[in-house]
Amino acid sequence: MDADPTWSFDRYQAYEDVRFRQSLAEQEQALSGGLVADPKSEPHGGYRVACIWPEEVTASACALSARLAELLPETPEYPYQALHSSVGNIAAPGARLVDPDRIPEDRKLLDGLAESAAAALERTAGSGTRRVAFDPALLARRMAFVFGRPQAGYWALHSAIHAACAARSVELVASWGPHLTLTRFGRPAPPEKAGEVLSELKSWAAVTAAPTAILVGWYTVGPGVFRVDPYQTIALT
């Protein structure tokens, strides 16, 4: 079950505890059963609203993603600009690639997402700190990621962005909470390789930070590649 952006923060925190326990169980499954190719690694495109983090978060995640890509053939190294926390996504029609330079419908949707994000930011001014504690780095059968635990201000912003989009009849698919996807596996790997991946993940050092900006853009997935292109970036203060 994904997090419902209409939940109160208390309700989200209860869900967060359940999701963390589920993540630990999924890690044990990966260690015993090995890794599998993630269907999301198939070529496709879509639209994204996300929170960008400061250097101390993103640089560490980028370096760890690179080490995982070295361990696992056909698994993409996530570039610096793709290591953020998704607030919500929309798949492009027919899994096509997004091209706002050539497709007016793409520009219209991205403009609407940017206006919604700006409105949400204005509505949640003064709603408290948006800091997120990122720890630990975890392994699932299809992916590796860093778990995040947000404070109330982050959840308020997350919920407000979804509400502003819904008011425009645009439905973002919510993430299960703030996290950093390090990579999605491109092909299966045996349990012993999963153990090597987990050893790398254990090098992650806990960090707590507030986002520096909201990104509105589009993502592209191809063979061994994941890229996010910015359309508009809204600085946070």
Side-chain angles (χ1 to χ4, degrees):
M1 180 178 66
D2 290 325
D4 186 332
T6 65
W7 285 344
S8 69
F9 184 57
D10 287 344
R11 175 69 183 86
Y12 172 76
Q13 286 186 302
Y15 161 85
E16 178 186 86
D17 290 338
V18 172
R19 185 69 182 84
F20 183 67
R21 291 194 297 271
Q22 289 175 340
S23 297
L24 293 177
E26 290 167 4
Q27 181 165 272
E28 291 304 313
Q29 291 170 3
L31 291 173
S32 62
L35 311 178
V36 298
D38 193 318
K40 290 185 178 179
S41 63
E42 291 297 314
H44 66 282
Y47 317 88
R48 169 164 294 188
V49 180
C51 283
I52 298 174
W53 302 98
E55 178 77 10
E56 63 264 28
V57 177
T58 308
S60 296
C62 191
L64 183 50
S65 179
R67 295 199 298 274
L68 298 182
E70 289 178 0
L71 278 176
L72 298 163
E74 298 181 30
T75 290
E77 172 188 344
Y78 276 28
Y80 190 93
Q81 67 271 22
L83 284 158
H84 48 236
S85 295
S86 171
V87 173
N89 299 299
I90 304 171
R96 67 167 173 81
L97 301 184
V98 176
D99 188 351
D101 291 331
R102 292 187 173 91
I103 303 174
E105 291 81 2
D106 287 344
R107 289 197 301 276
K108 181 178 179 181
L109 181 51
L110 289 165
D111 283 337
L113 292 175
E115 290 168 9
S116 295
L121 184 58
E122 186 174 339
R123 276 201 298 275
T124 57
S127 61
T129 179
R130 304 187 185 104
R131 289 165 66 84
V132 173
F134 287 109
D135 191 56
L138 295 170
L139 177 65
R141 297 201 71 188
R142 297 178 175 181
M143 63 184 289
F145 64 97
V146 183
F147 197 90
R149 293 184 180 272
Q151 296 183 351
Y154 182 95
W155 183 249
L157 178 60
H158 176 101
S159 298
I161 291 173
H162 280 270
C165 289
R168 293 173 170 267
S169 299
V170 174
E171 185 176 355
L172 283 177
V173 177
S175 70
W176 52 259
H179 62 279
L180 300 168
T181 298
L182 298 170
T183 193
R184 295 183 181 275
F185 305 135
R187 73 182 193 189
E192 53 268 29
K193 182 61 73 172
E196 292 180 37
V197 173
L198 183 58
S199 294
E200 284 290 351
L201 293 176
K202 287 182 177 178
S203 69
W204 175 262
V207 59
T208 299
T212 58
I214 299 172
L215 167 79
V216 176
W218 69 97
Y219 61 86
T220 303
V221 179
V225 174
F226 177 72
R227 187 180 80 246
V228 176
D229 290 289
Y231 185 75
Q232 185 171 330
T233 302
I234 305 170
L236 300 176
T237 56

